[in-house]
Amino acid sequence: MEGLLTRFRALATCSHQLSGYVSCRFHHCAPGRGKRLVLSRVFQPQNLREDQVLSLEDRSGDLTCKSQRLMLQVGLIHPASSGCYHLLPYTVRAMEKLVRVIDQEIQGIGGQKVNMPSLSPAELWRATSRWDLMGKELLRLRDRHGKEYCLGPTHEEAITALVASQKTLSYKQLPFLLYQVTRKFRDEPRPRFGLLRGREFYMKDMYTFDSSPEAARQTYSLVCDAYDRLLDRLGLRCVKVQANVGSIGGTMSHEFQLPVDVGEDRFVVCHSCSFSANLETLDLSQKNCPACQGPLTETKGIEVGHTFYLGTKYSSVFNAQFINVHGKPSLAEMGCYGLGVTRILAAAIEVLSTEDCIRWPSLLAPYQVCLIPPKKGSREEVAIELTGHLYDHITEAVPQLRGEVLLDDRTHLTIGNRLKDANKFGYPFVIIAGKRALEDPAHFEVWCQNTEQVVFLTTEGVMELLSQVQVV
């Protein structure tokens, strides 16, 4: 991006040459006739003061992390009940983009998407003893006939029972990588930090079925590599650490931890080798790396992903079998893999944002571009129409940005007030039609939020810059 901006500064000084190029390139492009996306029509409470944000939560003392405060302040979320939030339009757009990134990476390694019921029968959980083992974390209910259910926090029982119901599976069909992105429920004793620890949340959970322990471990590595790629695409520097298997079970587990001071997990890393682990897996008296005896550095983190090698823990209970190469029935070797979808959104905001302004992973920004025309009645008012034409040119000439450009049509407000709002919302690119929009050729003030740079570009320069933007 730095190289692009440097080049555009040079382009902006060659205004007369650039002007000729603009009219040559766009003379044949009639402005797009689609309906413009305007900010005044977005359902989003805005400009909340700090005291108003505090009053949104039942206990103001719980408003203790940056992501929760900012997401409430700009109207990304709104409290519904303890640990439950309404996800408002900007957040839903960002989440849908995250799910697309997840789909790309998981389907890229052979994942197949399913959708299982949130209501899970108690008998499935009793079969694995987890109905009692999970304790109060399970949200339980009875239907009118007295049958017991829980609202699933995870779906190992359900997916294994589903695969077990298929009686003619062959080793030639394996592995299966079955995943979903759905709401999950956990009766947290003390929900906190907004979307980082709630009672209702979105998660990507995948369950794999292999024909041998060796194949299952290969699948495990394949999924971990996909997680690394996914988090790298989001610009999140996570650490893969060894972890406890907990109530899920199995023989091997890793967490993907995003280092941040507000994190509730503690893990250690050794800078002399590649060792890293959740503190829960180590002896409290252990001060040196068990692999190389080097010093260990302790860090706080937010767990955004978790992987488990389950072996036959669940397949043996539900008799999830396949016919092996020798024509004999064998139990499937399983793994399960979670990604906290809403947690990733909040964690990204936590680590990327300033104290006052949200910053998104570029791929997840709800809108890539915000256009700010002049105030109505100002000396630059004639550029209001020019801003509309720029909107149409962008959506026509840069196809990937159709549906990604938002026009701040609140022209009763000053440019400064709307720019302040745009900074809070964290659009990657904010384009202002100010005084220099009246020049010949017109120059627009372009704020590149993620690099904190401002440049003045002609229409052609804007098109060249935005054509480099990647979207999902």
Side-chain angles (χ1 to χ4, degrees):
M1 183 60 72
E2 173 63 34
L4 280 171
L5 292 174
T6 301
R7 182 159 62 91
F8 289 130
R9 290 191 189 96
L11 283 171
T13 62
C14 305
S15 58
H16 294 295
Q17 295 178 359
L18 198 55
S19 174
Y21 185 42
V22 170
S23 68
C24 173
R25 179 171 179 179
F26 290 108
H27 182 268
H28 69 282
C29 297
R33 301 300 181 189
K35 189 173 182 180
R36 294 170 183 164
L37 297 172
V38 293
L39 184 56
S40 65
R41 299 297 301 275
V42 176
F43 177 67
Q44 205 84 354
Q46 298 175 35
N47 299 322
L48 293 174
R49 300 191 311 273
E50 188 77 8
D51 58 334
Q52 291 175 309
V53 173
L54 291 173
S55 68
L56 287 174
E57 295 282 18
D58 292 335
R59 299 180 301 276
S60 60
D62 287 345
L63 193 63
T64 53
C65 76
K66 178 170 56 179
S67 58
Q68 181 184 15
R69 174 173 54 81
L70 288 174
M71 294 181 84
L72 287 166
Q73 190 171 2
V74 304
L76 299 182
I77 58 176
H78 193 85
S81 61
S82 177
C84 298
Y85 291 86
H86 300 288
L87 306 183
L88 299 180
Y90 277 61
T91 303
V92 171
R93 284 182 63 91
M95 189 173 73
E96 289 173 343
K97 292 180 179 185
L98 175 54
V99 171
R100 286 199 288 272
V101 177
I102 291 171
D103 286 341
Q104 290 170 1
E105 295 297 337
I106 298 303
Q107 292 177 18
I109 60 171
Q112 301 180 64
K113 204 168 190 177
V114 298
N115 197 310
M116 292 177 276
S118 293
L119 277 178
S120 188
E123 57 262 28
L124 290 180
W125 290 75
R126 288 196 172 102
T128 59
S129 300
R130 291 211 298 169
W131 185 258
D132 297 320
L133 182 64
M134 292 289 288
K136 293 182 178 180
E137 283 193 5
L138 278 185
L139 279 166
R140 307 161 197 254
L141 64 154
R142 292 177 184 266
D143 67 12
R144 66 180 65 192
H145 306 293
K147 186 173 182 179
E148 291 182 291
Y149 296 86
C150 69
L151 291 173
T154 183
H155 280 73
E156 284 80 11
E157 284 83 358
I159 193 68
T160 312
L162 172 63
V163 171
S165 69
Q166 311 304 304
K167 301 298 184 182
T168 58
L169 291 180
S170 165
Y171 72 96
K172 296 179 181 179
Q173 296 174 265
L174 302 181
F176 283 142
L177 289 76
L178 306 176
Y179 80 101
Q180 61 178 352
V181 180
T182 57
R183 290 179 186 265
K184 301 294 188 296
F185 304 85
R186 183 176 291 122
D187 196 355
E188 288 284 352
R190 187 170 179 263
R192 59 197 307 230
F193 298 148
L195 297 187
L196 291 178
R197 182 169 292 281
R199 304 176 78 195
E200 181 176 355
F201 50 93
Y202 278 89
M203 186 171 80
K204 187 283 299 174
D205 48 319
M206 181 165 72
Y207 309 90
T208 61
F209 298 80
D210 276 278
S211 59
S212 69
E214 295 76 22
R217 288 188 176 91
Q218 289 177 2
T219 297
Y220 190 96
S221 296
L222 195 69
V223 178
C224 288
D225 289 344
Y227 277 21
D228 285 335
R229 288 193 300 272
L230 186 153
L231 295 166
D232 185 63
R233 288 177 67 185
L234 301 181
L236 301 178
R237 298 179 180 274
C238 291
V239 181
K240 177 187 170 186
V241 306
Q242 71 178 34
N244 282 330
V245 297
S247 63
I248 300 290
T251 59
M252 180 171 60
S253 175
H254 289 88
E255 296 167 345
F256 289 76
Q257 293 280 354
L258 183 61
V260 61
D261 287 340
V262 76
E264 295 187 284
D265 289 319
R266 293 177 180 271
F267 64 94
V268 293
V269 296
C270 176
H271 297 293
S272 300
C273 67
S274 58
F275 179 83
S276 57
N278 191 304
L279 273 181
E280 296 175 347
T281 67
L282 301 178
D283 189 319
L284 292 178
S285 63
Q286 190 166 352
K287 302 300 181 184
N288 294 326
C289 174
C292 74
Q293 300 306 309
L296 295 172
T297 302
E298 184 176 328
T299 307
K300 291 182 178 180
I302 297 172
E303 177 196 325
V304 296
H306 208 150
T307 59
F308 299 83
Y309 173 46
L310 301 174
T312 60
K313 173 180 171 63
Y314 294 89
S315 58
S316 61
V317 173
F318 295 101
N319 202 29
Q321 296 182 331
F322 65 96
I323 302 302
N324 65 24
V325 68
H326 304 295
K328 303 293 184 180
S330 294
L331 292 173
E333 293 280 335
M334 291 179 58
C336 67
Y337 309 86
L339 279 175
V341 176
T342 40
R343 181 177 285 189
I344 287 175
L345 287 181
I349 290 173
E350 187 70 36
V351 299
L352 299 178
S353 301
T354 68
E355 286 300 318
D356 301 314
C357 301
I358 286 176
R359 293 294 177 265
W360 302 89
S362 296
L363 285 178
L364 305 188
Y367 296 94
Q368 290 290 331
V369 182
C370 178
L371 297 181
I372 301 180
K375 181 181 180 181
K376 193 172 183 179
S378 68
R379 285 179 294 179
E380 297 83 23
E381 181 178 10
V382 293
I384 292 178
E385 184 177 358
L386 181 64
T387 313
H389 290 318
L390 178 64
Y391 180 107
D392 295 336
H393 277 310
I394 293 172
T395 55
E396 179 70 24
V398 191
Q400 73 265 30
L401 292 184
R402 290 173 187 165
E404 293 288 340
V405 183
L406 190 65
L407 179 65
D408 190 341
D409 59 330
R410 301 171 302 159
T411 52
H412 61 285
L413 298 175
T414 66
I415 285 178
N417 283 334
R418 284 175 286 160
L419 177 60
K420 184 178 179 180
D421 283 353
N423 284 336
K424 274 192 172 294
F425 278 102
Y427 309 102
F429 299 94
V430 180
I431 302 175
I432 300 169
K435 294 179 181 179
R436 294 194 62 184
L438 303 181
E439 295 177 0
D440 185 16
H443 281 71
F444 298 92
E445 186 177 349
V446 182
W447 290 63
C448 305
Q449 303 282 37
N450 291 339
T451 60
E452 299 183 346
Q453 292 177 295
V454 182
V455 292
F456 286 89
L457 301 175
T458 63
T459 298
E460 174 61 22
V462 170
M463 299 302 157
E464 291 287 346
L465 177 63
L466 296 183
S467 68
Q468 309 299 316
V469 175
Q470 296 183 355
V471 297
V472 289

